[in-house]
């Protein structure tokens, strides 16, 4: 299985400029692409406070999680640099996140994907006290790098097994779509032959 880490769900971003789709519609589009192959699993990292003002997004995440097509994890209660907060404040935020996950999804999160990859021994300790694994940005795999690996003749499925592809829901997403098509069709050549418009 390859995991698609989708950060900043569902923070309003000035980087998202597509006027044809609402942020939720864009998030759903990314999710549909990921679901086009059973070799990928969508891991949206949720920013809880802004997400609470999007009940339709919460409902969608809940239904897709229950169906096994999504595995949400914590990004933060707010989209902030958590290394600037005291340990007690970080703990308070993580508890709020965990309570939200349980109340809305019946789910106990296991990972904390920190905003901007914040990491320190102190944050790791606070995360572990809450039963969470802190994950920063030190080992991210960007779609462009994965495509380059595929174009060089390597098997994406083997190369990325049990690893994560790093995206943001607000990015254009064409590279992710190409990865999906390569995984669906088994090779770059087969994917190109079946979907010339994506390549």
């Amino acid at each position: 299985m390859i995991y698609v880490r989708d950060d900043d769900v569902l923070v309003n971003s000035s980087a998202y400029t597509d006027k044809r789709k609402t942020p939720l519609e864009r998030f759903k589009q990314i999710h549909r692409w990921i679901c086009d192959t059973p070799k990928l699993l969508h891991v949206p990292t949720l920013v809880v406070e802004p997400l609470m003002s999007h009940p339709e997004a919460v409902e969608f995440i809940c239904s897709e999680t229950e169906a096994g097509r999504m595995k949400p994890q914590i990004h933060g209660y707010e989209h902030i640099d958590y290394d600037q907060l005291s340990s007690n404040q970080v703990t308070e935020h993580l508890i709020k996140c965990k309570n939200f996950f349980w109340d809305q999804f019946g789910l106990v999160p296991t990972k904390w994907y920190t905003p901007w990859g914040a990491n320190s021994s102190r944050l790791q300790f606070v995360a572990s006290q809450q039963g969470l694994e802190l994950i920063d940005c030190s080992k991210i795999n960007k779609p462009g790098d994965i495509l380059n690996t595929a174009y060089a003749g390597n098997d994406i499925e083997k190369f990325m097994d049990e690893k994560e592809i790093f995206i943001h829901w607000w990015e254009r997403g064409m590279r992710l779509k190409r990865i999906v098509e390569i995984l669906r069709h088994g090779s770059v050549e087969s994917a190109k032959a079946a979907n010339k418009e994506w390549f």
Side-chain angles (χ1 to χ4, degrees), residues 36-64:
D36 278 344
T37 172
K39 297 173 183 177
L40 295 175
L41 182 65
H42 196 182
V43 182
T45 72
L46 310 184
V47 185
V48 170
E49 186 179 48
L51 185 61
M52 289 191 295
S53 64
H54 296 278
E56 67 283 4
V58 173
E59 184 178 336
F60 176 73
I61 293 168
C62 184
S63 64
E64 291 302 291

Side-chain angles (χ1 to χ4, degrees), residues 81-137:
D81 180 358
Y82 276 90
D83 218 12
Q84 300 301 310
L85 299 185
S86 70
S87 295
N88 286 342
Q89 289 171 316
V90 175
T91 298
E92 182 181 330
H93 278 226
L94 292 178
I95 289 172
K96 285 181 180 179
C97 290
K98 289 173 63 179
N99 289 342
F100 175 83
F101 271 66
W102 181 253
D103 292 343
Q104 298 298 324
F105 313 131
L107 180 69
V108 177
T110 58
K111 297 179 180 181
W112 177 26
Y113 294 87
T114 56
W116 299 293
N119 194 355
S120 66
S121 57
R122 181 179 67 89
L123 290 180
Q124 289 178 24
F125 177 76
V126 174
S128 69
Q129 292 295 102
Q130 293 302 315
L132 296 165
E133 176 188 2
L134 185 150
I135 300 178
D136 59 18
C137 294

Side-chain angles (χ1 to χ4, degrees), residues 9 41 68 73 76 102 113 132 167 173 175-176 181:
V9 177
L41 182 65
Q73 296 287 354
W102 181 253
Y113 294 87
L132 296 165
I167 67 166
R175 290 174 177 161
L176 175 65
E181 294 305 314

Side-chain angles (χ1 to χ4, degrees), residues 149-150 153-160 183 186:
T149 297
N154 297 300
D155 184 326
I156 292 178
E157 190 173 1
K158 289 180 181 176
F159 179 74
M160 288 299 296
L183 289 169

